[in-house]
Amino acid sequence: MLFYCSRHGESVFNAERRVQGQLDIPLSKNGQQQSKALASVLSSEPLDVIVASPLRRAIETAEVIATELHLSLKIDPRLAEINAGIFQGLKWDEIEIRHPNEAARWKSGDPDFMIPKGESRRTLMLRGQAAFEAIRADGHTHVAVIAHGGLLAATFKSLLKIPSSLNPFVFQNGAISRLEWSSTIRLLTLNEQHHLQKAKVDSERTGDL
């Protein structure tokens, strides 16, 4: 089975460098263009279905692909971004001023640090893996998963058995990462961006929340 995993197109909060977590933020104009470029490159792949996070920025991205490819779109709440609690809606310099202790705990990479009024990276890892296991159990062979940077990073760590204290992945808006899951799990590609460069859209903004 082959997963084509993509972080949603750039959102308005991505453009403003704000933490969004589970806030329901729409795509920016650049994000809309990224979604079109993503749909264009995926149109040449033998996809069976698209599965997306329930958050608006992911759904808007996935709907562009579903329309272009004439595929059904499924929503899995487990693919939502981490609940970033008290960080949501703030820029990182604001977080470090208002919540310095919590900001330091988050940046330490502690997988069990639970953001106040939010959740931990370990919780995210568990629900992300559960979502991917459910998708695999549906019996599809080629699936596009449209989700979030934090969710994908946590899920890849869990599936690939990377120590929970490490955080090696950063996902670009609209980029594609391919994960093969047969008898074993292999990461085939990470952050493919040629389709974005060809379409001349910005893919440089990062962040996992």
Side-chain angles (χ1 to χ4, degrees):
M1 181 178 188
L2 193 59
F3 290 84
Y4 301 76
C5 304
S6 180
R7 183 184 180 193
H8 57 81
E10 179 193 77
S11 71
V12 172
F13 269 21
N14 286 149
E16 296 176 357
R17 306 285 183 168
R18 292 188 182 277
V19 173
Q20 51 202 336
Q22 293 188 355
L23 295 180
D24 225 7
I25 309 302
L27 295 178
S28 66
K29 289 184 178 180
N30 185 55
Q32 293 168 3
Q33 292 302 312
Q34 289 171 336
S35 300
K36 292 176 182 178
L38 183 58
S40 178
V41 73
L42 288 178
S43 66
S44 63
E45 304 293 344
L47 293 176
D48 304 319
V49 68
I50 303 165
V51 186
S53 154
L55 296 176
R56 181 175 176 182
R57 56 195 184 271
I59 291 178
E60 288 183 357
T61 302
E63 285 177 340
V64 173
I65 301 167
T67 299
E68 176 73 19
L69 277 63
H70 306 289
L71 288 174
S72 61
L73 172 59
K74 296 183 179 180
I75 304 299
D76 190 329
R78 292 169 295 190
L79 293 175
E81 182 59 291
I82 190 171
N83 183 340
I86 61 172
F87 296 167
Q88 294 185 164
L90 302 176
K91 296 182 179 181
W92 268 108
D93 58 350
E94 296 171 333
I95 293 170
E96 290 174 334
I97 292 170
R98 298 186 194 185
H99 310 289
N101 294 333
E102 292 83 359
R105 289 285 306 281
W106 174 263
K107 289 188 173 183
S108 75
D110 179 358
D112 295 307
F113 167 63
M114 184 173 292
I115 304 170
K117 299 183 181 180
E119 61 184 330
S120 69
R121 285 185 174 99
R122 192 180 301 279
T123 299
L124 188 63
M125 289 171 66
L126 293 174
R127 69 172 166 86
Q129 176 161 343
F132 272 60
E133 288 174 343
I135 293 169
R136 184 170 186 257
D138 283 342
H140 300 292
T141 58
H142 296 79
V143 179
V145 175
I146 309 302
H148 308 269
L151 180 283
L152 291 173
T155 303
F156 279 28
K157 282 199 305 181
S158 186
L159 292 174
L160 296 168
K161 302 189 184 306
I162 293 171
S164 58
S165 60
L166 300 180
N167 296 291
F169 298 113
V170 175
F171 290 88
Q172 305 287 345
N173 292 113
I176 300 170
S177 299
R178 303 176 194 235
L179 190 77
E180 182 185 63
W181 192 348
S182 52
S183 57
T184 59
I185 301 175
R186 295 193 302 156
L187 180 59
L188 303 181
T189 66
L190 183 67
N191 280 323
E192 294 177 41
Q193 298 176 61
H194 60 281
H195 54 288
L196 302 176
Q197 294 161 357
K198 184 177 180 180
K200 296 182 180 180
V201 295
D202 181 13
S203 64
E204 292 304 313
R205 295 188 178 94
T206 62
D208 66 345
L209 300 179

